[in-house]
Amino acid sequence: MSGARPSSAEERRLLYIGVFDPHIPLSGTGQRARHLLRGISRRFVVDAAYIEGSGRPPIPEIAERFADELPFIRRKVTVPFGAFRYYYYHPGLYRAAARLAEANSYDAIVCDYAVAAVYGLALSLRFDLPFVYMSQNVEYRLHMMKAKNDPRRLALVPWMYAVEKMGVQRSRLLVAISEDEAEFYERWKPRERMVVVPQGFDPWNFNPFYEQPERDRKVVLFCGNFGIQFNLEAVRAFLKVAADGILARHPDTEFRFVGAYPPEDIRHPAVTFTGFVDDYAAELRSADLVISPVLAGMGSPTKVFEALACGKQVVATPMGARSVPTDYRSLHVTPLRNFPEVVNRLLDERPPPESADFERIMSEHSWPALARRLGDAIEDSIEAAAGR
């Protein structure tokens, strides 16, 4: 058993455990993991064990394209995806992580997303190590919401509830994604053992310092992984409630939906589904404005922060802008029924990229700033565990 810890802060070693590929940006979860793990692996020695894919089997060409996205990870061990093993328990992931812990000394275990807490609980007991639980959502509540359209999700709720509660209670440090979720977790854990690390953006790719390209058609953009139920429902609702009102005034508008797993059953002359794109920043820069018509969900909307960083006008439902400060100048929060009025006005005005809030959003939501916050919190939790 390898419970010894290095004595020097410069030698801190972390074992990262994820239930998805942490380097593939197919979703906000993947983006978050990729940037935060890149940041902390510059500061600590990190070995990683994780399940391939992103809640579903990996797309080989995308997996290969992003294989080198985490160059500072010392070791990477992957195990194959399986739906039951993803949602409940993957014995191969436990064995892979345990082998790493047997062969190496670590200061802490970092468990990322939902049932990853199972592995943190088991391995922390076996190897006498503190663990950090990175919660991306209150997952059991998310499954209860999804069960309205997919009753099979109800079977997952008791398991998710038990895992999350134990993970929150027994982790040395809980990483919440929003203040609202931190407040929810206070029923299970003291606030002083939590840190809020929201979603962020890459300031080198997403910033307002560019000339917006001219296009023949006006472009209204929404980005999301359409394999995620809430994103697909948002598209359907937008097309039903708002699209005709916009096209009546701006018939040359293109509704451009960017993201993996595009649906095959939506056909509309004003709609383009691009599928996954390598350079989303270029798509964003060339759009006239961005929408977030999401009606249900949890967590924090990565694509809204990226759009605001680019100075884009963003029209969002209250749920689509959840956990986003509402006083950004280019953010317009309104019910979906009001989208035609707000979108039409902005298409008429065509304002240039807004740069006034960039310094603020840099300090609050850039990935480098958030990775420093996470690294500081992990360092403090290791010190506290050593002095227990």
Side-chain angles (χ1 to χ4, degrees):
M1 187 166 73
S2 178
R5 302 183 179 89
S7 59
S8 169
E10 289 75 21
E11 298 174 343
R12 299 295 192 199
R13 294 178 173 88
L14 305 179
L15 173 59
Y16 172 91
I17 302 172
V19 293
F20 58 91
D21 272 311
H23 59 283
I24 298 179
L26 284 176
S27 64
T29 298
Q31 287 276 29
R32 177 180 175 82
R34 182 167 68 128
H35 287 286
L36 292 180
L37 192 51
R38 181 184 293 171
I40 64 173
S41 65
R42 289 174 177 268
R43 177 169 178 172
F44 306 99
V45 176
V46 179
D47 296 336
Y50 53 89
I51 301 174
E52 295 175 329
S54 300
R56 57 179 66 202
I59 302 172
E61 58 271 24
I62 294 178
E64 181 178 356
R65 200 177 310 163
F66 290 92
D68 299 325
E69 280 293 297
L70 296 173
F72 303 105
I73 301 294
R74 184 175 64 172
R75 295 183 184 88
K76 303 174 193 174
V77 181
T78 64
V79 296
F81 175 83
F84 182 87
R85 292 175 290 182
Y86 168 78
Y87 285 109
Y88 287 95
Y89 177 73
H90 197 313
L93 180 58
Y94 175 79
R95 289 194 295 268
R99 284 194 293 269
L100 286 170
E102 288 168 350
N104 302 276
S105 294
Y106 296 110
D107 293 279
I109 302 166
V110 178
C111 304
D112 199 354
Y113 193 65
V115 296
V118 168
Y119 309 99
L121 287 162
L123 292 165
S124 67
L125 290 172
R126 179 175 171 182
F127 294 98
D128 188 28
L129 289 169
F131 80 97
V132 177
Y133 182 28
M134 294 181 63
S135 168
Q136 305 255 7
N137 304 292
V138 183
E139 196 71 11
Y140 87 86
R141 294 197 303 177
L142 194 64
H143 281 282
M144 290 176 67
M145 295 170 66
K146 290 182 176 181
K148 294 177 182 178
N149 294 318
D150 183 0
R152 296 173 299 174
R153 298 274 182 175
L154 284 174
L156 283 165
V157 170
W159 169 243
M160 290 287 183
Y161 176 84
V163 168
E164 286 186 295
K165 183 176 181 179
M166 287 191 295
V168 170
Q169 289 176 329
R170 300 185 187 180
S171 59
R172 170 60 61 173
L173 173 68
L174 172 68
V175 183
I177 201 169
S178 70
E179 291 292 339
D180 288 344
E181 297 199 0
E183 289 177 10
F184 176 87
Y185 286 132
E186 284 181 355
R187 68 193 65 189
W188 294 337
K189 192 177 201 69
R191 187 61 179 262
E192 59 267 22
R193 288 177 60 185
M194 301 184 205
V195 62
V196 175
V197 179
Q199 287 295 78
F201 71 97
D202 176 356
W204 289 275
N205 285 319
F206 299 95
N207 59 66
F209 309 117
Y210 60 92
E211 292 292 331
Q212 181 167 310
E214 289 292 333
R215 273 184 155 171
D216 294 335
R217 303 176 71 183
K218 294 180 173 64
V219 175
V220 173
L221 183 145
F222 173 54
C223 181
N225 180 333
F226 299 109
I228 295 173
Q229 173 185 324
F230 299 136
N231 291 333
L232 187 55
E233 289 174 353
V235 170
R236 296 188 192 281
F238 173 79
L239 293 177
K240 180 179 180 180
V241 174
D244 288 347
I246 297 167
L247 292 171
R249 183 160 168 179
H250 296 281
D252 62 339
T253 300
E254 175 188 3
F255 302 122
R256 194 166 179 84
F257 300 123
V258 177
Y261 307 108
E264 297 180 358
D265 63 330
I266 297 178
R267 297 288 184 270
H268 191 291
V271 168
T272 301
F273 282 97
T274 68
F276 178 82
V277 297
D278 282 334
D279 191 356
Y280 171 62
E283 290 277 348
L284 185 55
R285 287 191 292 269
S286 65
D288 289 274
L289 61 88
V290 173
I291 57 171
S292 182
V294 175
L295 299 176
M298 298 184 71
S300 186
T302 308
K303 298 308 176 186
V304 171
F305 288 116
E306 290 173 340
L308 292 173
C310 279
K312 289 297 177 184
Q313 301 295 316
V314 179
V315 183
T317 58
M319 182 58 68
R322 63 197 181 279
S323 80
V324 182
T326 58
D327 57 344
Y328 285 115
R329 300 186 192 195
S330 56
L331 178 62
H332 311 268
V333 181
T334 188
L336 184 58
R337 65 179 179 274
N338 294 340
F339 268 42
E341 176 186 353
V342 179
V343 169
N344 282 329
R345 174 172 58 80
L346 293 171
L347 289 177
D348 286 339
E349 295 172 357
R350 300 198 75 177
E354 171 67 65
S355 61
D357 287 328
F358 186 66
E359 185 175 343
R360 173 188 167 195
I361 198 171
M362 269 280 291
S363 66
E364 295 178 353
H365 290 285
S366 70
W367 288 124
L370 296 176
R372 283 193 298 273
R373 185 187 306 178
L374 176 61
D376 289 345
I378 291 173
E379 186 73 56
D380 290 345
S381 71
I382 291 172
E383 293 289 343
R388 63 191 172 189

